[in-house]
Amino acid sequence: MNKVNNYLISVSIATLSTSAFAVESSDPIVIPTHNWSSQIVMSHIVGGIYENMGYTVDYVSTDSQAVYEAIRLGDATLEVEVWEGAYGVAFEEAKSKGGIVDAGDHPAVTREDWWYPAYVEELCPGLPDWEALNACAEEFSMPETAPKGRFLGGPVDWLKHDSERIDALGMDFVVINAGSAAALWAELSAAEKRGQPIVLFNWTPNFIEALYPGSFVEFPEYFEGCKDDASLGPNPNETYDCGNPADGYLKKAAWDGMADKWPTAYETLTNIEFSNIQIAEMAKMVDIDGMEPEEAAVAWLEDNESVWKPWAE
Ligand code: TMO
């Protein structure tokens, strides 16, 4: 983003300011941003709320798995989007070591998994069942995976363990990771234009559902222990013999020192609640409407004072 835009955004946030509250510490609240749009927009919405209250905010672009360790050590202050499918394991591990706390759930229900656009159903009868997908794996092959099918995964710091799942379920697929969210959507769009079979990582809430009909692959249903107890599930010798939760959580998390250092900001974080529709809208502003995430956050704050002001009181 250029300087003029930055300037305009600072002015807009300043004009929103009405707060006469004295902050408990003027040290920056460090908000980590990642590589998908809703998270970047939401981070700037939360940061904008804090700036409106008088706090200082810094944004740092951070690996979305390593962030839980960074928060636990106090290097980052909070996380606005803890998705159960991709980050449940990293979050729980950090929590068990101490230093990071669960700051409550958004009402949004999430799902992150293998997904295909609707036209793939005709090429592969029996979908969305995973065994039906596996029976026509070769339809999805690429020069680098043939004769196996390609599963187009997201960037490597998102959902881990797709290869373990492929092994645990004995599937004829190979994971190829896309370098960015934009690369995933570019491949989806190109495949759709040619009517070519594609199975890729997707999630909800997201803007994609407004553009492409499609479905998640139904793997053996997620169960407690699937990711850490090999003896459970259809394969008694392997972990990851299940899909991701179809009704996953979306949490907020914070450094455990936040509540002492910035108590009102921590209270605000626990009050913040976003729905599926609000999160899909944040992604849409950037991925369809072409706004910068910072601009989208300012627009959202201006249009939704009645939503966020009560969180800050
Ligand atoms: C973490 N993500 C929403 C991209 O699955």
Side-chain angles (χ1 to χ4, degrees):
M1 175 158 2
N2 62 39
K3 286 217 171 80
V4 174
N5 257 342
N6 265 329
Y7 172 75
L8 289 175
I9 287 164
S10 320
V11 170
S12 325
I13 289 184
T15 54
L16 284 170
S17 284
T18 51
S19 176
F21 157 77
V23 300
E24 304 93 350
S25 166
S26 59
D27 288 355
I29 293 174
V30 178
I31 302 183
T33 60
H34 309 308
N35 47 359
W36 66 96
S37 302
S38 67
Q39 196 276 347
I40 308 174
V41 174
M42 195 191 293
S43 291
H44 282 87
I45 288 174
V46 173
I49 294 171
Y50 286 154
E51 287 183 349
N52 178 265
M53 294 165 81
Y55 291 105
T56 305
V57 177
D58 272 355
Y59 300 94
V60 282
S61 172
T62 306
D63 178 289
S64 59
Q65 296 281 346
V67 71
Y68 298 99
E69 189 65 12
I71 294 172
R72 199 176 79 70
L73 300 174
D75 295 337
T77 312
L78 57 89
E79 169 60 55
V80 297
E81 287 191 8
V82 185
W83 292 66
E84 181 172 7
Y87 309 115
V89 170
F91 171 61
E92 290 302 330
E93 261 173 34
K95 213 170 66 166
S96 69
K97 289 189 205 160
I100 185 168
V101 294
D102 182 336
D105 286 31
H106 293 284
V109 175
T110 63
R111 187 167 187 183
E112 302 159 89
D113 225 318
W114 295 29
W115 181 95
Y116 55 87
Y119 64 87
V120 172
E121 247 149 55
E122 285 155 37
L123 308 160
C124 218
L127 284 174
D129 180 65
W130 71 274
E131 289 178 287
L133 177 78
N134 200 41
C136 66
E138 203 164 349
E139 297 270 0
F140 299 86
S141 77
M142 289 281 161
E144 68 267 44
T145 68
K148 294 187 173 182
R150 174 188 68 164
F151 166 66
L152 181 64
V156 290
D157 66 327
W158 291 2
L159 190 62
K160 297 282 186 190
H161 312 291
D162 284 307
S163 300
E164 281 99 320
R165 185 198 283 170
I166 286 170
D167 290 346
L169 296 177
M171 296 179 78
D172 299 318
F173 275 88
V174 175
V175 182
I176 303 286
N177 289 100
S180 64
L184 276 179
W185 314 138
E187 293 241 18
L188 171 59
S189 159
E192 195 236 17
K193 286 200 183 88
R194 297 194 300 264
Q196 192 189 357
I198 185 169
V199 58
L200 70 163
F201 179 72
N202 192 5
W203 64 92
T204 184
N206 194 358
F207 75 99
I208 284 289
E209 47 220 319
L211 293 188
Y212 300 93
S215 306
F216 287 103
V217 175
E218 298 294 344
F219 287 99
E221 202 178 314
Y222 176 79
F223 52 89
E224 193 72 40
C226 170
K227 297 182 176 183
D228 53 32
D229 187 342
S231 71
L232 301 175
N235 183 333
N237 303 312
E238 301 287 350
T239 52
Y240 291 97
D241 47 347
C242 66
N244 269 314
D247 52 355
Y249 64 62
L250 186 68
K251 286 184 182 296
K252 301 152 285 176
W255 171 52
D256 75 352
M258 184 183 182
D260 291 331
K261 186 161 181 182
W262 302 277
T264 309
Y266 179 74
E267 184 65 31
T268 295
L269 182 66
T270 64
N271 292 338
I272 288 171
E273 295 197 322
F274 288 111
S275 67
N276 287 57
I277 289 171
Q278 287 170 315
I279 293 165
E281 175 70 19
M282 290 174 204
K284 174 186 167 289
M285 284 192 279
V286 173
D287 292 317
I288 300 182
D289 304 341
M291 298 171 88
E292 291 292 338
E294 296 84 344
E295 285 178 280
V298 169
W300 191 91
L301 288 165
E302 284 174 353
D303 292 347
N304 291 279
E305 285 203 11
S306 64
V307 176
W308 64 264
K309 285 259 158 99
W311 294 338
E313 272 157 13

